[in-house]
């Protein structure tokens, strides 16, 4: 795959405006998009840990399983 294909995949489809970008601009945009999504996931994980961590210890595990099932963040 190339940068443009990867960018279209990340954006969930082709956009005509991507044709206006240079290859370097497309690569920069792809890098920024991936970094922003990773930052968002890290911030969400940290927020969840703080909320669950504020519960009394015996309730933390069950609360996490109720809210998120067996999925690990």
């Amino acid at each position: 795959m190339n940068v443009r294909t990867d960018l279209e995949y990340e954006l969930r489809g082709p956009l005509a405006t991507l044709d206006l970008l240079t290859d370097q601009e497309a690569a920069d945009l792809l890098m920024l998009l991936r970094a922003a999504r990773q930052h968002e996931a890290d911030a969400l994980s940290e927020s969840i840990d703080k909320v669950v961590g504020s519960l009394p210890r015996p309730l933390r595990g069950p609360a996490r399983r109720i809210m998120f099932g067996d999925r690990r963040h």
Side-chain angles (χ1 to χ4, degrees), residues 15-35:
L15 299 173
T17 55
L18 295 180
D19 294 336
L20 301 175
L21 299 176
T22 66
D23 288 341
Q24 184 59 48
E25 290 169 336
D28 290 345
L29 182 58
L30 179 61
M31 181 187 65
L32 289 170
L33 182 61
R34 287 179 174 169

